[in-house]
């Protein structure tokens, strides 16, 4: 259980962070957040889709790490099986959180229960004079960029929704046992509507760089085959015989 608290000089003057950290905190996560600025790099390793937050109906941008809940096919104790690691999970044991002392203000937080946090680690947060160390400054800068990227991603998703460019997808999985599974509630780019954009809108998207994340998102869908390959390299008895994204409800519509 995480114990994430705002970093305070008085309370954490002796706190240090391990120089060697891993991604064990997402070992059982099959979805993790990704930002639009990361799409181009992430698309070479993961499928990128959107999901709806059940509480707010807002879309969230995520990468798929597995084919079912609790499955992370990229994680092992010895390595992460992809060159690129999403920013949202690379910052652990740090995170952005609300400052209880300043209304509507974000601040740097740390997970005190993380195995990488303690007074016997390598990287101090504060020096002997109580000033932020270069290490801690770099953490704060990274979290600041993370926040900026979250804001940018929200704007990007708004462009997609405002222009009716999203389509609901389902992931159909056929197993060697004959069993079939289906993941629903995923959203991607509607290629047909993308092609139907007016010339003025195309020029506008081009000038604002929106086609970079759009095409990265479209191209990333093929990485679902990598998920199948990683699953089949593992110990699971039920191998993946076939996997494919499809428009949600397409099969029912044919009947």
């Amino acid at each position: 259980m995480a114990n994430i608290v705002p970093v305070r000089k008085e309370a954490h003057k002796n706190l240090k962070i391990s120089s060697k950290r891993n991604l064990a905190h997402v070992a059982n996560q099959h979805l993790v957040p990704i930002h639009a600025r990361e799409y181009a790099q992430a698309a070479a390793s993961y499928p990128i889709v959107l999901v709806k937050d059940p509480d707010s109906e807002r879309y969230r941008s995520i990468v798929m790490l597995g084919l079912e809940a609790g499955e992370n096919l990229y994680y092992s104790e010895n390595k992460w099986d992809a060159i690129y690691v999403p920013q949202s999970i690379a910052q652990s044991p740090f995170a952005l959180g609300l400052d209880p002392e300043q209304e509507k203000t974000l601040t740097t937080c740390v997970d005190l229960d993380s195995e990488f946090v303690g007074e016997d680690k390598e990287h101090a947060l504060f020096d002997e004079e109580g000033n932020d160390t270069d290490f801690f400054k770099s953490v704060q800068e990274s979290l600041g960029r993370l926040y900026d990227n979250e804001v940018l991603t929200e704007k990007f998703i708004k462009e997609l929704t405002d222009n009716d460019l999203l389509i609901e997808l389902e992931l159909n999985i056929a197993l060697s046992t004959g069993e079939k599974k289906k993941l629903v509630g995923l959203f991607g780019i509607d290629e047909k509507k993308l092609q139907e954009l007016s010339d003025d809108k195309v020029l506008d998207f081009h000038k604002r760089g929106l086609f970079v994340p759009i095409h990265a998102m479209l191209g990333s869908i093929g990485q679902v085959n990598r998920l199948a390959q990683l699953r089949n390299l593992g110990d699971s008895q039920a191998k993946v015989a076939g996997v494919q994204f499809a428009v949600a409800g397409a099969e029912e519509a044919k009947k």
Side-chain angles (χ1 to χ4, degrees):
M1 189 71 178
N3 179 21
I4 300 175
V5 301
V7 176
R8 291 289 182 264
K9 180 167 57 178
E10 298 76 15
H12 306 126
K13 61 181 179 180
N14 297 320
L15 207 62
K16 296 180 181 180
I17 309 299
S18 175
S19 59
K20 293 184 178 180
R21 291 171 272 165
N22 59 34
L23 298 169
H25 62 292
V26 293
N28 299 311
Q29 288 184 219
H30 72 300
L31 306 174
V32 298
I34 194 79
H35 301 125
R37 279 190 176 137
E38 300 178 87
Y39 283 10
Q41 289 177 285
S45 299
Y46 319 94
I48 302 170
V49 294
L50 303 182
V51 295
K52 266 187 179 179
D53 188 322
D55 297 322
S56 67
E57 289 297 300
R58 291 172 60 189
Y59 290 97
R60 293 187 297 117
S61 170
I62 59 97
V63 289
M64 297 179 61
L65 305 180
L67 295 172
E68 56 186 304
E71 177 183 70
N72 185 334
L73 296 167
Y74 294 84
Y75 173 80
S76 70
E77 291 186 8
N78 300 317
K79 66 174 182 176
W80 183 264
D81 203 352
I83 294 175
Y84 186 76
V85 177
Q87 294 175 359
S88 65
I89 62 175
Q91 302 299 325
S92 180
F94 295 100
L96 274 177
L98 288 173
D99 191 334
E101 299 176 3
Q102 299 184 61
E103 188 177 358
K104 296 182 180 179
T105 300
L106 294 173
T107 189
T108 301
C109 298
V110 65
D111 180 5
L112 295 180
D113 287 349
S114 169
E115 63 180 300
F116 308 116
V117 177
E119 295 187 4
D120 60 343
K121 307 303 181 183
E122 294 80 22
H123 294 299
L125 301 183
F126 304 100
D127 60 25
E128 293 181 359
E129 285 74 40
N131 300 312
D132 295 353
T133 61
D134 289 340
F135 169 78
F136 190 36
K137 288 177 182 178
S138 69
V139 167
Q140 293 170 308
E141 290 171 359
S142 295
L143 290 175
R145 288 193 296 271
L146 194 65
Y147 174 74
D148 291 341
N149 288 343
E150 287 176 359
V151 172
L152 181 145
T153 302
E154 286 187 6
K155 292 180 179 179
F156 171 68
I157 293 174
K158 188 175 186 302
E159 289 286 354
L160 298 181
T161 56
D162 286 353
N163 289 279
D164 195 26
L165 290 176
L166 292 181
I167 192 168
E168 188 169 1
L169 303 172
E170 59 189 30
L171 181 61
N172 298 305
I173 306 166
L175 301 177
S176 57
T177 58
E179 181 183 5
K180 292 186 178 180
K181 294 187 175 184
K182 182 183 292 185
L183 292 182
V184 297
L186 309 173
F187 294 83
I189 304 292
D190 188 327
E191 291 188 71
K192 185 174 184 297
K193 289 185 177 179
L194 185 67
Q195 293 168 356
E196 293 173 350
L197 288 176
S198 68
D199 290 346
D200 288 344
K201 183 64 70 173
V202 168
L203 181 60
D204 174 54
F205 272 31
H206 175 71
K207 285 184 174 180
R208 290 191 288 144
L210 295 179
F211 281 121
V212 174
I214 285 174
H215 288 304
M217 193 174 179
L218 283 168
S220 76
I221 295 301
Q223 294 302 333
V224 71
N225 295 314
R226 184 175 186 186
L227 291 180
Q229 181 183 44
L230 290 172
R231 163 75 80 84
N232 289 344
L233 289 173
D235 298 329
S236 175
Q237 296 300 310
K239 303 298 184 183
V240 178
V243 60
Q244 184 178 29
F245 276 107
V247 176
E251 287 300 316
E252 286 76 4
K254 292 178 182 178
K255 296 177 182 179

